[in-house]
Each structure stands twice: as C-alpha cells, then as structure tokens.
Amino acid sequence: MKLLLTALKHTRKPTVYIGRRCCSSPSSSSRGLPSLQDEVIVGSSLELVQTLGSQVQVRPGFISEEEEAALLQELEPGLRKKRYEFDHWDDAIHGYRETERLRWGPVCEEILNRVRSVAFPQGGPLLGPVHVLDLDKAGYIKPHVDSVKFCGSTIAGLSLLSDSIMRLVKDDAPNEWLDLLLTRRSLYILRDQARYNFSHEILKDEESVFNGQRVPRQRRISVICRNLPG
C-alpha cells in the first residue's frame, strides 16, 4: 500500500502520522465524515506506519450500496433469530450476535470472491465458512489477539451499516498503536505482524474518535474471511 505520510497534531499523542486511502473507488467517501475521506490510518510514529504499511490495508468504498443491501438481505433473516449476547466465551466481545455462513447467493458469492482475490494469495487454503459478527450500537470488541489455532496469517473484513474505528496496539509496547477508520462499505485487511504482534479492537461509540474527530458508531455488521493456519 502506498502511503502519503504527514505529521499532524493529535489529542491522544503529541504527534501522529497519517496513511492515505488505498485503492479507493468513486463511491468511497463517507457522507458523514467529509474531512476524513482521504485519511484512513493514523499511527503513533512514522516508523510504525511504514513498518506495517504492507500488512494493514483499508479500502474505502470496496462495495456499493447495492452490494451492501444484497449482503444484508441474506444475513438479516438469520440474525433476527438470535439475541445480542453480552458475555463472550473469552470475554473479547460485548453486545454481539454472530454466525458462520458457508453458502451464499450468486451476487454475494461474487462479492466475497472479490474480497478473497485482493486479500489472499491465489490458490492458498481458506477457512471455509465466512464469519459474520453483528455488533449492537452499544457493543464493542475488546483488545485481543486472535488464536492461531483457528485462523491463519490474514483476515479480511467488510464493514456494513456503520463507520467504526479499529485500534491496533503492540503487545509488548502499548505506546505503539494504529487507528484505522473503517468507513461503511469499506474492506480492511490485516496480515502477519499486524495479526500476531498487535491486539485489535473496535472502539465503543462513546470512544469512537479518529484523529481528534468524532466518528459516531451505529450497529455494525462485519463479514470476515480468513485463511487456514499454516
């Protein structure tokens, strides 16, 4: 990912570094965040942004409104049958519903194939079911590192219904961090070090601030593809 880096003042740290959008499309601007439409990554240092530049990607506008509607049409009937849970088995998620889906209609399968083509090496082994996580407006994902037993070196997720902020924090150096602006209908990709050496979380609505600007968070559905452990 090619990054145009600019040092700016930030309320959380004295200096942050900005990563510009990657592979955007004409529909990628977030209507509620016009001043942020070109900024998708901020970090605690220039070195960190450069080091993780090839391992963290955010692609605003990866799917269209019509494609988002097609995914929701398939997902909503099953999700409505579930209750939001507030006790995750490893205490990582608060206020969520989740499911796995193996079979999709033709439109959605084409969308997911596009995700796989940009996120994973061609011919590499993928985890069969797609993970779907429905996060309530009051829900959030706590800092955690995914177990290597259940998925491999790469995850790729579509963000539906709402903008949100994903925060990555280095395990052994909590002062080293990245914030990702995941706009509605964007795709994020995390690989290698960003997966194994950094925790990731989705911020609570009341904490959802990107580079000093409030990013209101509503109910959010993420559709996540993973590869198999090596």
Side-chain angles (χ1 to χ4, degrees), residues 30-138:
S30 176
R31 294 177 183 176
L33 303 166
S35 65
L36 295 181
Q37 64 180 13
D38 289 327
E39 301 172 2
V40 293
I41 301 174
V42 295
S44 56
S45 70
L46 174 62
E47 180 182 7
L48 181 62
V49 174
Q50 289 178 328
T51 299
L52 289 187
S54 62
Q55 299 172 29
V56 177
Q57 291 186 26
V58 179
R59 300 188 176 211
F62 188 81
I63 60 173
S64 67
E65 292 183 19
E66 293 76 16
E67 289 172 324
E68 179 188 46
L71 288 165
L72 292 171
Q73 185 175 10
E74 289 205 28
L75 293 172
E76 288 285 28
L79 290 172
R80 288 195 201 103
K81 298 176 183 178
K82 299 175 178 289
R83 294 182 179 181
Y84 284 105
E85 302 287 343
F86 292 85
D87 295 301
H88 191 256
W89 64 273
D90 63 357
D91 198 35
I93 314 176
H94 181 86
Y96 72 100
R97 302 184 290 198
E98 66 181 338
T99 188
E100 290 186 335
R101 195 177 182 95
L102 187 58
R103 300 187 183 279
W104 300 80
V107 174
C108 294
E109 189 63 39
E110 183 177 345
I111 296 168
L112 293 170
N113 284 337
R114 198 162 80 240
V115 171
R116 295 172 183 124
S117 70
V118 302
F120 304 98
Q122 186 174 4
L126 301 180
L127 197 62
V130 173
H131 184 210
V132 178
L133 183 63
D134 180 356
L135 200 62
D136 183 69
K137 175 179 168 58

Side-chain angles (χ1 to χ4, degrees), residues 179-197:
D179 280 357
L180 314 182
L181 175 60
L182 306 182
T183 52
R184 182 176 181 176
R185 296 185 291 276
S186 66
L187 173 71
Y188 73 86
I189 303 170
L190 304 181
R191 297 186 177 97
D192 302 326
Q193 286 187 57
R195 287 271 294 105
Y196 297 131
N197 298 335

Side-chain angles (χ1 to χ4, degrees), residues 149-164:
K149 295 180 181 179
F150 302 113
C151 52
S153 62
T154 302
I155 61 174
L158 293 169
S159 298
L160 312 181
L161 293 178
S162 177
D163 302 328
S164 61

Side-chain angles (χ1 to χ4, degrees), residues 86 94-96 135-141 202-205 217:
F86 292 85
H94 181 86
Y96 72 100
L135 200 62
D136 183 69
K137 175 179 168 58
Y140 53 93
I141 302 177
I202 295 292
L203 300 185
K204 301 176 182 179
D205 175 50
R217 223 211 67 213

